[in-house]
Amino acid sequence: MTVADRTGVLVVTLDRPPANALNRALIRSLTGLFAGFAAEPDAPPVMLTGHGDRFFTAGGDIKELEGAAHTEIGARMRDFHALLVAMDRFPRPVVCAVNGHCVGGGMEIALFADRVLAVEHAQFGFPEINHGLLPADKGIQRAGQVLGTRRAGKMLLSGELFDAHRAREIGLVDTITGPGELLDQAVACALAAGSKAPVLYGALKQSLNAPDDTRDEAYLHRTIASAAAYFDDPAARERRENWKKN
């Protein structure tokens, strides 16, 4: 990933061509960024985007699992859970500028942002069920909270993708904009949010998100248990193998 300062906004670009897939190194870097700045009294607003014009991120890097030991999927999901926890507890503004496909882990990241802007050709969804995988339990719970349990359930259980206009209708996306204006508008959005008194902004986010160590530990336990179950499941493995071939 690359990190740059734009007039006081920390612009973080996911840069792993061709699909900006989230490998463990990238996940850990993002976690370190959010966790590190969370303790700083003058932490900047953060704007997340993806490199190129096709993918914000295609989600987890399934190639990391090729030939991996049974414990690898659990360790990977533990890392991703830690990222969602760090985003959940980050007291400053987080804005996502979705420049293309935002699926799987990308959807989860967007759900933990304060504001989401997207280009018209962006696609969203949780395709994991069709690929022999599962989202993190914390991300699943967030989807139900933000989008409604029934709507989130339809997304998760079907694996179908949907466009930016549908994402705006259901409250996932706040603004649809042209590719040429996306970053400028996202930076302006982050700056506006960042102009609020940090102590008040942080207190409101804490009340809204209501972070809870016990609950997060339960989410992690379910994530690890589910990962252990599906990693060697024949039907799930077959779906992963077919996805890699395509």
Side-chain angles (χ1 to χ4, degrees):
M1 71 182 190
T2 62
V3 180
D5 182 284
R6 280 192 59 179
T7 61
V9 174
L10 199 67
V11 177
V12 180
T13 304
L14 308 178
D15 190 359
R16 291 195 70 237
N20 299 327
L22 301 168
N23 65 359
R24 289 187 71 185
L26 179 53
I27 291 168
R28 287 174 170 177
S29 293
L30 285 169
T31 304
L33 183 145
F34 282 109
F37 274 112
E40 298 291 334
D42 56 349
V46 174
M47 191 268 276
L48 292 171
T49 192
H51 175 76
D53 59 6
R54 292 185 59 210
F55 291 94
F56 175 72
T57 173
D61 189 349
I62 194 173
K63 292 182 179 179
E64 280 195 325
L65 300 180
E66 292 179 0
H70 182 274
T71 55
E72 181 67 19
I73 182 64
R76 177 188 173 78
M77 295 306 293
R78 185 181 295 275
D79 284 346
F80 191 69
H81 171 84
L83 170 59
L84 299 185
V85 169
M87 291 188 69
D88 192 25
R89 301 179 184 215
F90 188 67
R92 301 291 286 137
V94 180
V95 175
C96 280
V98 177
N99 54 301
H101 275 59
C102 176
V103 298
M107 268 283 290
E108 294 174 77
I109 288 173
L111 284 164
F112 280 89
D114 301 330
R115 293 287 183 272
V116 179
L117 290 77
V119 294
E120 192 163 11
H121 67 266
Q123 292 282 302
F124 298 84
F126 290 104
E128 285 93 335
I129 193 170
N130 297 327
H131 297 162
L133 299 166
L134 285 174
D137 195 77
K138 186 172 176 67
I140 294 171
Q141 301 303 320
R142 182 73 166 199
Q145 293 162 8
V146 173
L147 306 175
T149 302
R150 189 168 183 82
R151 181 177 287 139
K154 288 180 180 179
M155 293 178 190
L156 289 156
L157 296 172
S158 72
E160 295 176 355
L161 303 188
F162 52 95
D163 64 20
H165 291 281
R166 178 58 177 160
R168 185 172 59 183
E169 287 175 6
I170 63 176
L172 174 62
V173 165
D174 299 286
T175 303
I176 298 175
T177 186
E181 295 80 41
L182 176 66
L183 296 187
D184 286 343
Q185 289 195 23
V187 167
C189 180
L191 278 173
S195 69
K196 310 298 184 185
V199 66
L200 301 180
Y201 196 94
L204 287 168
K205 281 191 70 170
Q206 185 176 44
S207 293
L208 286 167
N209 295 346
D212 184 292
D213 291 338
T214 301
R215 186 175 56 204
D216 280 339
E217 188 64 26
Y219 292 160
L220 177 59
H221 178 76
R222 280 200 295 264
T223 295
I224 300 301
S226 296
Y230 72 69
F231 188 73
D232 287 328
D233 176 76
R237 183 179 294 276
E238 181 181 6
R239 286 189 174 274
R240 290 198 299 272
E241 293 299 326
N242 290 337
W243 180 32
K244 285 188 287 188
K245 290 176 184 177
N246 295 328

